[in-house]
Amino acid sequence: MNISFSKPPECVLRENLPGESSLSHPGGQWLPGASINPARNCLDENGKRSLNDTAIIWRDENHDDVPVQKMTFKELREEVWLVAYALEALGLEKGSAIAIDMPMHVKSVVIYLAIVLAGYVVVSIADSFAAAEISSRLNISNAKVIFTQDLIIRGDKSIPLYSRVVDAKAPLAVVIPTRGSEFSMELRNGDLSWHDFLDRANSLKGKEFVAVEQPVEAFTNILFSSGTTGEPKAIPWTNITPLKAAADAWCHLDIRKGDIVSWPTNLGWMMGPWLVYASLINGASMALYNGSPLGSGFAKFVQV
């Protein structure tokens, strides 16, 4: 799979000795001693992808009459580098939790990869959640920042999102305007517009961001159970989990360089991060439809 480690593992699996028990590694330890950055493994040029290969294909709902949009690996990694530099400008301690509460589109994927590349931990929150559900996940993860957008557009409906984040008493929010550069409501004091957030790093645009390599046991993403049977339970992904996602895609779904993978989902659910790693690590293209997959628009997108 052309996985790149900054420090290679001592072996693939170190099994526990007879009579040895380990709460953290009950069945043994995978890739002991290794250090890695899974986001870098999505972006670097190798035998599975060239910089001119297509990384993401997307279309917005109600735009069936226009060609699909595309982003190459070169364009994707430059976008990710810029956001990673802007994240560092916030002055957060490495390993801090940073939430994403957005639909799954190009910007949210870029933000996801930038958080991981820069050595922080993604907190996944589904964009359908009410304020109380957002608040509980922010409190459990101790998130320091949240990325969101002001509205979600579905057909002729405008669904508020930033207002729910505000009602959840979220920490610093970086807010992406859904329509042009205007927001549907005034931002809280201290919150940043997407434009102002990126302005902190614009002088570094195009400069490579050196990935933060961490031990395989380090957390990279905190997902959550649905919370239908009580308080949602945190489900941490380590740096090994993205490799498992990519390996399952390679082995069981035959995802290879040149393939296109679409899975209507959200970063708040495990299939969102799975799609990122399953496609990009294997050199395939990720296909994102920014809208409801229930109508003919999604079928036309897949057909294209």
Side-chain angles (χ1 to χ4, degrees):
M1 291 177 62
N2 286 345
I3 300 299
S4 174
F5 298 92
S6 61
K7 183 181 178 184
E10 298 161 13
C11 59
V12 174
L13 173 62
R14 177 185 291 151
E15 295 184 281
N16 293 331
L17 298 173
E20 181 184 15
S21 63
S22 170
L23 293 176
S24 57
H25 304 102
Q29 186 177 5
W30 291 98
L31 308 178
S35 291
I36 193 172
N37 187 293
R40 182 170 69 86
N41 274 272
C42 290
L43 302 172
D44 278 359
E45 186 174 19
N46 60 29
K48 291 207 166 194
R49 57 186 169 267
S50 72
L51 295 183
N52 291 323
D53 288 340
T54 299
I56 305 178
I57 301 169
W58 77 94
R59 174 183 279 167
D60 292 336
E61 192 176 35
N62 300 325
H63 287 78
D64 299 344
D65 55 340
V66 300
V68 295
Q69 300 183 71
K70 298 182 179 182
M71 177 181 284
T72 65
F73 278 96
K74 181 178 185 295
E75 292 167 334
L76 174 61
R77 72 178 192 169
E78 289 181 358
E79 292 283 336
V80 171
W81 291 344
L82 180 62
V83 175
Y85 279 121
L87 280 169
E88 283 209 326
L90 295 177
L92 301 175
E93 182 181 351
K94 292 298 182 183
S96 295
I98 300 175
I100 302 177
D101 185 9
M102 297 169 61
M104 190 164 182
H105 47 56
V106 174
K107 280 191 174 67
S108 56
V109 171
V110 167
I111 293 165
Y112 184 97
L113 290 170
I115 293 171
V116 177
L117 191 73
Y120 303 108
V121 180
V122 177
V123 177
S124 296
I125 300 177
D127 62 358
S128 59
F129 284 151
E133 295 170 307
I134 297 170
S135 178
S136 66
R137 287 158 176 80
L138 293 173
N139 290 333
I140 291 169
S141 63
N142 194 27
K144 305 300 183 185
V145 177
I146 184 169
F147 284 85
T148 189
Q149 58 191 59
D150 61 337
L151 299 170
I152 301 171
I153 306 299
R154 291 291 178 264
D156 57 356
K157 294 182 179 179
S158 297
I159 305 167
L161 184 54
Y162 173 61
S163 62
R164 282 188 252 149
V165 169
V166 172
D167 290 343
K169 296 181 171 54
L172 167 67
V174 179
V175 189
I176 298 172
T178 305
R179 294 192 179 105
S181 59
E182 298 297 321
F183 290 104
S184 59
M185 62 180 285
E186 188 176 348
L187 300 188
R188 296 179 304 179
N189 288 336
D191 286 347
L192 293 171
S193 71
W194 179 244
H195 178 269
D196 289 342
F197 168 73
L198 291 182
D199 255 0
R200 297 164 172 239
N202 266 335
S203 62
L204 298 168
K205 193 169 186 177
K207 181 180 179 182
E208 180 177 1
F209 184 95
V210 178
V212 176
E213 307 278 346
Q214 299 187 86
V216 289
E217 298 89 357
F219 292 158
T220 185
N221 197 166
I222 300 173
L223 293 105
F224 292 90
S225 63
S226 63
T228 53
T229 58
E231 189 175 46
K233 299 168 183 65
I235 305 167
W237 277 21
T238 68
N239 275 327
I240 292 180
T241 318
L243 307 187
K244 180 66 164 65
D248 284 351
W250 180 87
C251 183
H252 299 298
L253 298 178
D254 194 31
I255 293 174
R256 300 289 191 272
K257 174 182 170 68
D259 289 336
I260 301 172
V261 188
S262 180
W263 197 300
T265 184
N266 186 273
L267 289 171
W269 309 112
M270 65 83 57
M271 289 309 299
W274 178 91
L275 178 61
V276 172
Y277 294 118
S279 55
L280 299 184
I281 286 182
N282 287 306
S285 302
M286 184 191 325
L288 302 175
Y289 185 72
N290 186 23
S292 170
L294 303 178
S296 61
F298 177 70
K300 291 177 183 178
F301 172 66
V302 171
Q303 187 177 42
V304 171

